[in-house]
Amino acid sequence: SNYNNLQNITANNNNIGFYLIYKADYNNFSSITANNNNYGFYLQNSQYNTLQDIIANNNNIGFYFYTPARYNTLRDITSNYNNYGFYLGTSDNTFRDITSNYNVNSSFYLNGLADNNVLQNITANYNGQNGLHFSNADNNVLQNITANYNGQNGLYLSVLSWYGSNNNTVSSSTF
């Protein structure tokens, strides 16, 4: 489904709060609440969507992006008290003005398919493991990141194979 505007919607206590899959493109979501779900938002094979003013708390995963969910923009997002705030397995997305605290694992987990993403104005504090965890994720840009008081690391660049997390740019950040 394409070119939809969804606003002032609540989806709580479901397996998936909002499911964008197979060519759900050019949609706008605003003033959305998705709490107490397995997945607050699940995007797969969906592009050019805008999500803003979203609350996704107390989910297993607040936002799950699976390839190829590309060219999406998220801004003014709160994703707290999840297992993972954001679990990204895709490239070329923009995340701005995000608060993702008190997650069991990490605020942001980017796996080997999560390249060329932009993360700006991110707060990722008090998470059980890492504020941001990059696992073989390349060419990402991080600006104005605050990731303090996490159980293990503010920013963790890990290697699961011979290929590591390379060419990521970090500026104006505190870990």
Side-chain angles (χ1 to χ4, degrees):
S1 182
N2 299 324
Y3 298 100
N4 297 292
N5 291 306
L6 292 89
Q7 59 185 356
N8 300 316
I9 299 173
T10 299
N12 295 338
N13 303 304
N14 299 290
N15 182 38
I16 300 173
F18 292 90
Y19 194 35
L20 283 75
I21 187 167
Y22 300 116
K23 303 293 182 185
D25 301 332
Y26 301 99
N27 297 294
N28 293 306
F29 291 81
S30 64
S31 300
I32 304 291
T33 301
N35 296 331
N36 302 307
N37 301 294
N38 190 28
Y39 298 93
F41 277 81
Y42 189 113
L43 280 77
Q44 180 180 359
N45 198 21
S46 298
Q47 302 181 119
Y48 301 103
N49 295 292
T50 300
L51 287 72
Q52 64 182 15
D53 192 25
I54 309 288
I55 298 171
N57 295 331
N58 297 304
N59 300 291
N60 179 36
I61 298 175
F63 294 84
Y64 182 78
F65 281 41
Y66 188 72
T67 191
R70 301 173 69 186
Y71 312 114
N72 297 291
T73 300
L74 283 76
R75 62 179 174 261
D76 299 319
I77 306 293
T78 301
S79 184
N80 298 324
Y81 301 104
N82 302 293
N83 192 15
Y84 289 94
F86 295 82
Y87 194 104
L88 308 178
T90 190
S91 299
D92 303 305
N93 294 290
T94 300
F95 302 86
R96 288 191 176 103
D97 303 319
I98 309 290
T99 300
S100 186
N101 299 321
Y102 302 104
N103 296 290
V104 173
N105 288 302
S106 300
S107 287
F108 277 85
Y109 178 79
L110 285 75
N111 73 17
L113 300 173
D115 301 327
N116 305 310
N117 293 291
V118 175
L119 286 73
Q120 296 176 319
N121 303 326
I122 308 293
T123 301
N125 296 324
Y126 302 103
N127 296 289
Q129 292 184 4
N130 304 295
L132 298 96
H133 182 170
F134 287 32
S135 178
N136 296 349
D138 299 329
N139 303 312
N140 294 287
V141 175
L142 288 76
Q143 297 174 323
N144 196 26
I145 308 294
T146 302
N148 297 314
Y149 311 109
N150 294 291
Q152 293 180 8
N153 304 288
L155 174 62
Y156 180 52
L157 304 175
S158 67
V159 178
L160 293 179
S161 65
W162 63 272
Y163 177 70
S165 294
N166 298 301
N167 300 316
N168 294 292
T169 302
V170 180
S171 65
S172 302
S173 299
T174 305
F175 301 102

